[in-house]
Amino acid sequence: MLEKLGRNLPCWCGSGKKYKHCHAELDAKLETLAMEGEEVPKHKMIKNAEQIARIKESCKVNVAVLDAVEREIRPGMACSEINDIVNEVTYSMGAIPAPLHYEGYPYSVCTSVNEQVCHGFPTRHAVLKEGDIVNVDCSSILDGYFSDSSRMYCIGEVSSERRKLVQVTRECMEKGIACVKPFAHLGDVGEAIQAHARANGYSVVDTIGGHGCGIAFHEDPYVSHVGKKGTGMVLVPGMIFTIEPMINAGTAAVVTNKANGWEVSTRDGRDSAQWENMILVTETGYEILSW
Ligand code: MF3
Ligand code: CO
């Protein structure tokens, strides 16, 4: 009786549709999967059409910022200038840089050069020189909705070793993205990334991962870039998360700067690269939101 009544009430997702015409069927399927021992997403990890539309608007800011950086970045530029560009473009589009003051983070963007893995500080002293590779990791808040993506930039002439690391890391992200579809597992993503990195003699940072994103900066689920096919959380339409592999030329071990508690570098001092994108699980596969 209660069950029947519930089916005519508005769906929990906020779509305004009756539950029976919205997520009732998915919930029944997830309940069965959960009984079979599968890890299934919580309702709060599933976005409705309105939320998805607003998150996509935020992603447009992120893309515009990364495009602006791409136009300006050059040898001799200090990473503080990248921070300035991020502020300028973000605020001019009516958005706010998400990293600023996030858990005490003191800048608007992360710039991670060569052996830096992530969360590099865009200071005046971090001057980019010919041959460097740098990840610019940008996150925006537009009307309360979050976006998060990053790209690698090669500064002037870059060695073939570094170019290969940048290229393979991008392929790792793409191979991870290609695994995304309804009822796939998060472990599929991790395995695909790990396999491609290993095949090229690289290692995958396994202590920092991707994350749900959109309503907040960092949401569940945690997205590991290593894993085993068929394991981990089941994916369903409406989930949005980042895939952001950090790939190291040497070993996977990383160290965090003790003085500032943020900047992460490879322990062996060898190079690291990262690409990040936000992915929506659709009815048929995936949509890339922040390219
Ligand atoms: N953009 C990073 C990510 O991909 C988060 C950086 S946290 C910050 O999750 F505070 F450093 F910005
Ligand atoms: Co991220």
Side-chain angles (χ1 to χ4, degrees):
M1 186 64 177
L2 243 175
E3 168 75 358
K4 282 231 171 65
L5 216 61
R7 291 178 62 81
N8 283 309
L9 289 173
C11 186
W12 50 260
C13 80
S15 65
K17 287 189 224 161
K18 286 183 177 175
Y19 181 49
K20 66 182 178 187
H21 296 312
C22 200
H23 281 102
E25 206 180 306
L26 178 72
D27 276 349
K29 196 159 175 179
L30 291 180
E31 207 175 302
T32 306
L33 287 172
M35 278 183 328
E36 290 166 5
E38 296 275 4
E39 189 185 342
V40 299
K42 300 250 165 57
H43 284 169
K44 64 167 193 267
M45 299 181 205
I46 301 171
K47 273 85 177 168
N48 66 32
E50 159 90 14
Q51 291 167 324
I52 291 166
R54 286 170 169 272
I55 293 164
K56 284 183 179 177
E57 288 304 307
S58 179
C59 287
K60 286 182 191 167
V61 178
N62 241 46
V63 171
V65 172
L66 291 172
D67 284 349
V69 170
E70 196 152 335
R71 284 192 297 274
E72 299 294 326
I73 201 162
R74 55 177 55 85
M77 187 185 223
C79 289
S80 56
E81 295 173 63
I82 296 175
N83 195 70
D84 294 341
I85 295 168
V86 170
N87 280 330
E88 210 172 284
V89 178
T90 307
Y91 290 120
S92 78
M93 294 180 78
I96 300 165
L100 190 58
H101 309 310
Y102 175 79
E103 291 185 5
Y105 187 78
Y107 299 94
S108 297
V109 65
C110 303
T111 53
S112 305
V113 185
N114 300 337
E115 78 285 354
Q116 286 187 316
V117 173
C118 64
H119 305 160
F121 282 4
T123 67
R124 279 187 300 120
H125 310 290
V127 178
L128 298 172
K129 54 187 191 307
E130 181 99 14
D132 283 346
I133 54 172
V134 57
N135 172 273
V136 177
D137 190 343
C138 167
S139 317
S140 310
I141 315 170
L142 181 68
D143 300 327
Y145 291 85
F146 288 76
S147 50
D148 187 7
S149 57
S150 79
R151 296 181 194 162
M152 291 299 294
Y153 301 93
C154 289
I155 307 303
E157 280 297 316
V158 168
S159 70
S160 57
E161 287 84 359
R162 281 185 167 162
R163 271 189 280 123
K164 184 186 167 201
L165 177 64
V166 169
Q167 177 59 26
V168 169
T169 303
R170 185 178 175 146
E171 291 163 4
C172 283
M173 176 189 69
E174 289 167 351
K175 285 178 187 290
I177 292 172
C179 295
V180 175
K181 61 180 182 199
F183 305 104
H185 291 80
L186 270 183
D188 306 354
V189 173
E191 183 173 303
I193 291 169
Q194 192 175 20
H196 191 56
R198 279 198 182 154
N200 285 278
Y202 300 143
S203 63
V204 182
V205 174
D206 57 4
T207 49
I208 312 167
H211 50 92
C213 187
I215 309 298
F217 195 170
H218 295 115
E219 303 171 359
D220 287 332
Y222 174 77
V223 180
S224 177
H225 302 116
V226 299
K228 204 169 160 18
K229 202 168 159 39
T231 67
M233 189 177 287
V234 169
L235 303 179
V236 305
M239 291 176 78
I240 295 179
F241 50 84
T242 69
I243 295 180
E244 48 177 308
M246 282 145 271
I247 307 296
N248 294 352
T251 63
V254 299
V255 288
T256 303
N257 182 317
K258 281 207 179 66
N260 61 41
W262 277 104
E263 295 181 296
V264 178
S265 301
T266 57
R267 196 174 65 189
D268 60 12
R270 295 186 65 188
D271 293 328
S272 183
Q274 178 183 28
W275 288 82
E276 173 176 20
N277 227 309
M278 254 165 86
I279 310 302
L280 166 69
V281 185
T282 64
E283 295 294 332
T284 52
Y286 63 85
E287 188 179 338
I288 297 176
L289 302 186
S290 48
W291 211 204

